[in-house]
């Protein structure tokens, strides 16, 4: 069937690459390096694999995911995830399976637990590169991949033992197939894209549930509706969308991928998962704030500049083209993708920064495609300058926070964080600030190239100095206490403390209750007063204390 072109009055610029100037000498060499797939490969290694196993797991998220994986391996129950002996209904099962397979292959440690996320983030970059190369050109694909891999929030989830990198991979793959199908606009030749889209949605549904289906369906429908005119071609386009939406083979693929586990957990655990996951962790998150993760309608407008660091100004430069963006099919598709995610989560009761990443992939493509629109150097460099400036003054902020804080627990954390900040940290933060200022003053290369270099500096500073010190302050004491408890081989409980990485490192389920004589108890130091007040009969002996956590032994009575 002949391809139907709904934009016959508009020049379709999908295949028109945006070419940088190609001077000779060192400028030409720099241009080739900055658009080289080899550079992209090095950035992927730096962003997602460097320091992958060097930092302790963070609580609550990494600890909860990895303890469920540990208990899955220990129990042999690969159907219902459990955390500290209780069913964990927060997420479906795929990430636990992948973490289990990874740790069985490379070892049960931080590296093995985080490896599936690093691999998923790497494939995410690769999928974006292939999509942009076929739609535009290879240099633009490389630039989009660099922006994706070096952005702050993407690199964070690419190094985290949680489900978000995996979900973003499947969401991106689904959208890429949707656009390929739209370009074919011939169901017979495009149905292979539809089949693959259902495959990715099935895997996404097995990773995090309905969100993997909701956004592709809504965005694809709105994109088709945005192209409608009073013509036969428009009616056929809507018909092609409907055929894809109700494609029996596609839904069969989806059910074959996701259905067996959902059936298995129902048979294994009854309706508990479905009530908790779909009603509480999906519908409930939209209707109200969970775990105090509330926000306000403009929350993501505030968080977007942080999520995209150091490329905030680059993203803002896209708004110069808002009038022409709607006329180009690819731009329109990408903008609808981003805006639907932004609007939906802006009105969600539960708001977390990484939710916006579901709609961030199109921004990186738009930034790469229209990189020549970034012409204001202050717009480009003020955000990273502010970021490095904040890192530099952090010690002084902590000094003030210790004085003004009214909660003793917070004061302890601020003191520990202040002690963790050494001369090396200050040199790194100052170096990042000075190098960014140098990029601001450097006049020769295009601004986007200089921002990519700033992205490399940001990655080195964040994961070379900042993240290790933050996690050492918050999590190293938890790990040390867990290893001591493991060595004693005494029964251990936690008291009013939710730090599941303690169970991961202790390699045992840790009930959350008051201790009995002869047991160890792990707790936050601010919970000790509650414990002694509620259980004055306990004779507690300090076993370990560092910063904000402590491990005590309830001595048996005489």
């Amino acid at each position: 069937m002949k391809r139907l072109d709904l934009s016959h009055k508009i020049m379709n610029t999908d295949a028109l690459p945006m070419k940088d100037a190609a001077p000779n000498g060192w400028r030409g060499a720099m241009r080739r390096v900055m658009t080289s797939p080899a550079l992209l490969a090095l950035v992927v290694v730096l962003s997602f694999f460097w320091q992958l196993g060097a930092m302790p797991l963070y609580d609550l998220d990494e600890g909860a995911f990895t303890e469920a994986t540990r208990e899955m391996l220990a129990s042999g129950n690969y159907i219902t995830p459990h955390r500290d002996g209780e069913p964990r209904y927060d997420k479906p099962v795929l990430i636990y399976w992948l973490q289990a397979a990874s740790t069985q292959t490379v070892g049960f440690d931080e590296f093995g637990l985080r490896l599936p996320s690093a691999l998923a983030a790497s494939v995410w970059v690769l999928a974006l590169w292939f999509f942009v190369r076929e739609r535009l050109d290879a240099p633009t694909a490389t630039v989009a991949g660099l922006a994706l891999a070096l952005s702050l929030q993407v690199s964070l989830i690419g190094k985290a033992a949680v489900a978000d990198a995996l979900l973003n991979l499947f969401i991106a793959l689904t959208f890429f197939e949707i656009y390929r199908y739209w370009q074919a606009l011939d169901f017979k030749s495009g149905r292979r894209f539809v089949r693959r889209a259902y495959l990715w949605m099935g895997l996404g549904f097995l990773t995090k549930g309905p969100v993997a289906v909701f956004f592709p369906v809504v965005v694809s429908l709105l994109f088709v509706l945005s192209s409608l005119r009073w013509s036969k071609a428009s009616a056929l386009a809507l018909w092609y969308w409907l055929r894809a939406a109700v494609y029996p083979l596609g839904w069969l693929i989806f059910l074959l991928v996701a259905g067996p586990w959902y059936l298995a957990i129902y048979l294994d655990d009854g309706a508990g998962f479905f009530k908790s996951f779909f009603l509480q962790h999906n519908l409930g998150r939209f209707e109200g704030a969970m775990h105090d993760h509330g926000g306000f309608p403009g929350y993501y407008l505030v968080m977007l500049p942080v999520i995209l660091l150091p490329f905030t100004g680059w993203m803002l430069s896209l708004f110069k083209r808002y009038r022409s963006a709607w006329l180009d099919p690819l731009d329109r598709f990408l903008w609808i993708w981003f805006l639907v995610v932004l609007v939906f989560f802006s009105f969600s009761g539960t708001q977390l920064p990484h939710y916006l990443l579901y709609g961030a992939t199109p921004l990186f493509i738009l930034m790469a495609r229209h990189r020549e629109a970034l012409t204001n150097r202050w717009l480009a460099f003020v955000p990273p300058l502010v970021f490095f400036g904040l890192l530099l003054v952090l010690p002084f902020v902590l000094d003030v926070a210790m004085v003004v804080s009214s909660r003793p627990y917070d004061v302890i954390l601020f003191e520990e964080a202040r002690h963790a900040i050494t001369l090396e940290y200050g040199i790194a933060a100052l170096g990042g600030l000075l190098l960014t200022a140098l990029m601001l003053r450097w006049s020769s290369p295009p601004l986007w190239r200089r921002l990519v270099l700033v992205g490399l500096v940001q990655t080195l500073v964040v994961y070379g100095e900042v993240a290790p010190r933050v996690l050492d302050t918050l999590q190293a004491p938890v790990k040390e206490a867990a290893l001591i408890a493991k060595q004693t081989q005494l029964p251990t409980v936690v008291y009013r403390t939710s730090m599941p990485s303690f169970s991961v490192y202790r390699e045992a389920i840790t009930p959350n209750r008051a201790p009995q004589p002869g047991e160890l108890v792990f707790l936050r130091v601010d919970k000790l007063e509650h414990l002694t007040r509620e259980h004055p009969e306990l004779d507690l002996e300090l076993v370990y204390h560092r910063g904000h956590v402590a491990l005590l032994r309830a001595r048996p009575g005489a």
Side-chain angles (χ1 to χ4, degrees):
M1 181 178 291
K2 184 178 179 181
R3 183 184 185 276
L4 299 171
D5 186 358
L6 301 185
S7 306
H8 58 281
K9 294 183 179 180
I10 306 166
M11 181 178 65
N12 188 329
T13 59
D14 281 10
L16 296 180
M18 195 286 298
K19 296 185 181 296
D20 295 314
N24 296 320
W26 72 269
R27 291 188 177 89
M30 183 180 183
R31 173 184 176 275
R32 290 188 293 274
V33 169
M34 297 297 288
T35 56
S36 166
L39 175 63
L40 180 58
L42 290 174
V43 165
V44 165
V45 171
L46 181 68
S47 293
F48 304 139
F49 293 92
W50 178 53
Q51 297 278 63
L52 190 63
M55 297 172 282
L57 302 169
Y58 67 80
D59 289 311
L60 181 64
D61 289 349
E62 277 195 313
F65 275 95
T66 56
E67 173 57 14
T69 298
R70 190 200 66 77
E71 291 183 38
M72 181 176 285
L73 289 167
S75 67
N77 181 353
Y78 290 88
I79 302 302
T80 303
H82 288 76
R83 174 194 155 189
D84 283 323
E86 299 295 328
R88 184 174 195 257
Y89 294 142
D90 297 48
K91 302 293 182 293
V93 77
L94 185 56
I95 186 62
Y96 308 119
W97 285 348
L98 294 178
Q99 288 180 353
S102 174
T103 54
Q104 290 296 95
T105 303
V106 302
F108 192 92
D109 54 17
E110 291 92 343
F111 181 87
L113 290 163
R114 289 169 174 151
L115 183 59
S117 292
L119 293 173
S122 302
V123 178
W124 181 11
V125 173
L126 185 64
L128 174 137
W129 190 87
F130 277 111
F131 176 78
V132 177
R133 186 189 65 167
E134 69 187 31
R135 299 275 76 79
L136 301 170
D137 58 78
T140 302
T142 300
V143 175
L146 290 170
L148 173 63
L150 290 171
S151 65
L152 182 61
Q153 189 67 39
V154 172
S155 63
L156 286 172
I157 67 167
K159 278 185 162 76
V162 295
D164 295 291
L166 190 63
L167 176 64
N168 276 281
L169 166 62
F170 293 136
I171 287 178
L173 287 169
T174 303
F175 276 104
F176 296 157
E177 304 297 356
I178 288 171
Y179 192 79
R180 291 180 179 117
Y181 171 68
W182 179 87
Q183 278 216 312
L185 274 179
D186 176 346
F187 190 78
K188 185 175 180 179
S189 63
R191 59 190 173 187
R192 68 184 187 277
F193 305 128
V194 179
R195 289 194 293 266
R196 293 205 298 253
Y198 277 99
L199 170 63
W200 306 134
M201 285 194 295
L203 290 170
F205 202 78
L206 204 56
T207 302
K208 215 167 184 180
V211 67
V213 179
F214 174 79
F215 286 120
V217 170
V218 172
V219 171
S220 62
L221 177 58
L222 291 177
F223 176 63
V224 171
L225 293 177
S226 73
S227 306
L228 290 183
R229 306 291 185 269
W230 291 104
S231 66
K232 181 179 179 181
S234 291
L236 285 174
L238 186 57
W239 168 244
Y240 287 132
W241 181 88
L242 289 170
R243 289 191 68 180
V246 298
Y247 185 38
L249 181 56
W251 284 111
L252 178 61
I253 293 171
F254 178 88
L255 291 174
L256 289 174
V257 170
W261 176 78
Y262 280 89
L263 176 61
I265 195 172
Y266 177 77
L267 296 175
D268 186 57
D269 215 37
F273 171 81
F274 295 87
K275 291 178 180 178
S276 178
F277 178 66
F278 288 103
L279 296 181
Q280 180 182 355
H281 290 285
N282 281 273
L283 184 60
R285 283 178 184 268
F286 186 80
E287 292 181 343
M290 290 189 66
H291 307 301
D292 298 321
H293 292 148
F296 53 93
Y299 173 82
Y300 287 107
L301 295 178
V302 175
M303 291 307 302
L304 182 61
V306 179
I307 290 169
L308 298 179
L309 278 170
F311 306 121
T312 305
W314 192 352
M315 180 274 297
L316 293 175
S317 71
L318 295 174
F319 291 98
K320 293 179 180 180
R321 296 178 172 271
Y322 74 94
R323 291 183 178 178
S324 61
W326 203 254
L327 301 177
D328 180 86
L330 179 58
D331 276 18
R332 185 167 70 251
F333 177 76
L334 296 172
W335 276 112
I336 292 174
W337 176 359
F338 164 69
L339 290 172
V340 167
V341 174
L342 174 66
V343 171
F344 178 82
F345 283 119
S346 292
F347 291 97
S348 173
T350 302
Q351 296 183 330
L352 288 166
H354 64 265
Y355 290 172
L356 197 56
L357 285 183
Y358 307 158
T361 300
L363 291 180
F364 298 118
I365 299 174
L366 288 165
M367 287 158 54
R369 187 183 194 188
H370 302 296
R371 53 196 182 272
E372 83 287 353
L374 181 62
T375 56
N376 188 314
R377 62 178 181 172
W378 291 104
L379 177 67
F381 289 103
V382 164
L385 284 171
V386 171
F387 175 70
F388 285 117
L390 290 174
L391 292 182
L392 191 60
V393 302
L394 181 60
F396 308 102
V397 174
L398 291 172
D399 288 337
V400 174
M402 284 187 286
V403 174
V404 302
S405 179
S406 59
R407 295 178 56 190
Y409 178 75
D410 291 340
V411 173
I412 292 172
L413 283 178
F414 294 146
E415 288 178 347
E416 288 294 298
R418 185 64 182 87
H419 291 320
I421 295 178
T422 62
L423 178 62
E424 291 81 4
Y425 170 92
I427 292 173
L430 179 61
L433 183 66
L434 293 177
L435 287 171
T436 303
L438 178 63
M439 292 296 113
L440 170 67
R441 299 297 300 172
W442 194 12
S443 59
S444 296
L447 290 175
W448 72 265
R449 292 187 202 165
R450 288 181 263 166
L451 271 183
V452 168
L453 295 177
V454 172
L456 289 167
V457 173
Q458 175 182 280
T459 301
L460 292 171
V461 172
V462 168
Y463 298 108
E465 287 292 333
V466 179
R469 295 177 190 278
V470 170
L471 290 179
D472 182 70
T473 299
L474 295 176
Q475 298 301 136
V478 181
K479 181 176 181 179
E480 291 170 2
L483 294 176
I484 292 172
K486 176 185 176 182
Q487 187 176 19
T488 66
Q489 297 183 346
L490 291 174
T492 306
V493 300
V494 298
Y495 179 76
R496 291 193 175 188
T497 298
S498 184
M499 295 180 179
S501 67
F502 180 82
S503 296
V504 178
Y505 290 118
R506 197 172 77 89
E507 297 185 20
I509 294 171
T510 312
N512 199 327
R513 58 171 174 81
Q516 300 294 321
E519 293 181 331
L520 296 176
V521 57
F522 171 76
L523 43 61
R524 285 175 22 174
V525 292
D526 59 325
K527 304 300 180 183
L528 181 57
E529 182 182 353
H530 295 275
L531 179 60
T532 56
R533 185 174 63 247
E534 294 179 1
H535 300 275
E537 75 281 2
L538 291 174
D539 183 11
L540 299 172
E541 174 189 11
L542 183 64
V543 176
Y544 170 84
H545 171 232
R546 176 181 165 188
H548 59 297
V549 299
L551 182 69
L552 302 102
R553 178 172 176 259
R555 288 186 288 202

